[in-house]
């Protein structure tokens, strides 16, 4: 009685299935790692540290001015008011919305308040994720910063005197 060759039996193929699956998963992982580099890594840590100290000075300036920002996101627009000492500010300012993982999706918007201090800016395709928001004047003398998730709360309120 002659036995069939090994490749005609199902058990060798079944045993080889595990290692082949691991090799395929490794290949997919390597391809993902090469095509999508980690955007969270910073190249120049010293420069980042200096920038943090500059930001702290700007935060203290916002507290000295008693800045408050209150806005609401509806219908593709962020509308609200920026005030200092409880009075509306009419000076233009800039909104930075930083995506948590993809810098290509970051947004920079210029806001121009009207005579009463109210502003409205269109935000194209705002992804419902956890954004880092920075509001600053044109001269970069002060800043307000906070994280914001429009999916949880359409209102974005930042008070310079309160911790986020």
């Amino acid at each position: 009685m002659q036995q069939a060759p090994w490749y005609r039996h199902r058990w060798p193929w079944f045993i080889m299935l595990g290692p082949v699956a691991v090799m395929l998963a490794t290949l997919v992982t390597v391809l993902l790692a090469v095509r999508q580099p980690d955007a969270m890594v910073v190249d120049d840590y010293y420069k980042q540290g200096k920038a943090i100290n500059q930001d702290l000075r700007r935060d203290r300036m916002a507290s000295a001015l008693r800045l408050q920002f209150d806005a609401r996101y509806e219908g593709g627009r962020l509308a609200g008011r920026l005030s200092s000492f409880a009075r509306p500010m009419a000076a233009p300012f800039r909104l930075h919305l930083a995506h948590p993982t993809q810098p290509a999706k970051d947004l920079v918007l210029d806001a121009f308040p009207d005579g009463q201090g109210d502003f409205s800016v269109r935000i194209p395709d705002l992804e419902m994720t956890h954004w880092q928001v920075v509001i600053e004047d044109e001269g970069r003398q002060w800043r307000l910063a906070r994280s914001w998730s429009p999916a949880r709360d359409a209102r974005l309120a930042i008070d310079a005197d309160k911790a986020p």
Side-chain angles (χ1 to χ4, degrees):
M1 168 177 207
Q2 195 175 22
Q3 256 188 343
W6 69 270
Y7 53 86
R8 298 245 179 197
H9 296 278
R10 82 178 79 146
W11 288 111
W13 294 107
F14 184 72
I15 291 171
M16 287 187 279
L17 187 62
V20 169
V22 170
M23 290 187 321
L24 286 173
T26 301
L27 179 66
V28 168
T29 302
V30 168
L31 286 173
L32 286 174
V34 169
R35 288 186 181 168
Q36 298 175 349
D38 188 6
M40 301 294 282
V41 176
V42 176
D43 290 334
D44 191 348
Y45 291 101
Y46 178 72
K47 194 178 209 180
Q48 289 289 96
K50 286 175 61 177
I52 289 170
N53 287 336
Q54 182 72 7
D55 287 343
L56 293 175
R57 183 191 62 76
R58 293 168 58 205
D59 290 342
R60 287 190 292 273
M61 178 64 88
S63 288
L65 293 171
R66 292 189 187 154
L67 292 176
Q68 293 179 316
F69 179 84
D70 192 15
R72 187 164 207 68
Y73 178 69
E74 287 180 324
R77 296 193 81 74
L78 185 68
R81 176 178 286 197
L82 175 66
S83 59
S84 174
F85 293 102
R87 288 186 300 250
M89 290 182 65
F93 58 91
R94 182 164 284 156
L95 291 151
H96 297 268
L97 286 101
H99 192 277
T101 58
Q102 299 175 13
K105 292 186 177 183
D106 290 358
L107 300 169
V108 178
L109 307 162
D110 291 319
F112 300 97
D114 60 16
Q116 288 76 36
D118 296 324
F119 75 93
S120 178
V121 291
R122 186 180 177 295
I123 301 181
D125 303 326
L126 184 63
E127 190 175 312
M128 293 295 147
T129 187
H130 195 76
W131 294 91
Q132 293 299 317
V133 179
V134 175
I135 302 161
E136 62 187 6
D137 66 323
E138 289 182 325
R140 297 179 50 95
Q141 297 298 312
W142 55 262
R143 79 168 194 153
L144 296 170
R146 184 185 158 203
S147 58
W148 176 51
S149 179
R152 273 194 231 138
D153 190 2
R155 182 173 180 245
L156 172 58
I158 308 172
D159 189 341
D161 293 329
K162 293 182 184 170

